[in-house]
Amino acid sequence: METLKIALVSDWYYPKLGGVAVHMHDLALYLREKGHEVDIITNDRKTGKEEELRELGIGLVKVPGKIFPSASLNISAFAKGYGLLEPLIQDYDVVHGHHAFTPPLSLKAAMAARKLGKGSVVTTHSINYENSSVIRALSKMSYPYYRYHLKCPPTG
């Protein structure tokens, strides 16, 4: 089996509680157990998982910037282009963004990965369109933003 270097990227990692954080953490543990090199790339704040990840050989890369606390969004990354993440992901084989509805890190990492010719995927978690007219309306307004980040052609 080929060993891959994998980056799991999201604004929604600990200390933010929820399914995205748990999923990313568990996926990192599983991929590491399978022999892959794994790093979690998230906001620059204390996660409470630093020691555990270090002991397991999983890297924790923190993206600097101002964090909007209630949504856990890296506002600095939101305001900047995907180039902010290029140096952070350039050495990975696969970049896996989590939760496109918190786009500063996940979508920009996917875009940067495509520009660098890396494998990329974005997983959107836990969005219930049927029961929320607000989420449905916001998602429709944001389609051009997602389309821009997810359809950007690779270079070369």
Side-chain angles (χ1 to χ4, degrees), residues 19-138:
V20 177
V22 171
H23 174 75
M24 279 182 59
H25 190 78
D26 289 349
L27 181 58
L29 298 177
Y30 176 80
L31 291 169
R32 182 69 186 112
E33 182 181 290
K34 292 296 179 190
H36 299 292
E37 293 180 48
V38 182
D39 290 343
I40 293 172
I41 300 176
T42 191
N43 293 316
D44 187 10
R45 59 188 180 170
K46 185 163 178 51
T47 68
K49 299 293 183 180
E50 286 82 359
E51 186 176 330
E52 177 186 358
L53 294 174
R54 188 173 30 257
E55 288 174 2
L56 295 169
I58 298 170
L60 183 60
V61 178
K62 296 183 179 183
V63 180
K66 177 147 179 64
I67 309 304
F68 186 68
S70 63
S72 296
L73 298 179
N74 188 321
I75 299 303
S76 302
F78 190 80
K80 296 180 181 181
Y82 67 87
L84 170 73
L85 291 171
E86 272 187 5
L88 298 177
I89 65 163
Q90 66 186 353
D91 294 329
Y92 295 96
D93 300 308
V94 177
V95 175
H96 187 173
H98 290 267
H99 206 49
F101 289 96
T102 55
L105 297 185
S106 62
L107 288 180
K108 290 183 188 285
M111 186 177 199
R114 288 185 48 83
K115 293 287 186 177
L116 292 169
K118 308 292 181 176
S120 66
V121 64
V122 176
T123 300
T124 297
H125 299 264
S126 305
I127 297 298
N128 186 344
Y129 294 103
E130 295 82 28
N131 295 325
S132 175
S133 59
V134 173
I135 290 175
R136 200 169 32 251
L138 287 173

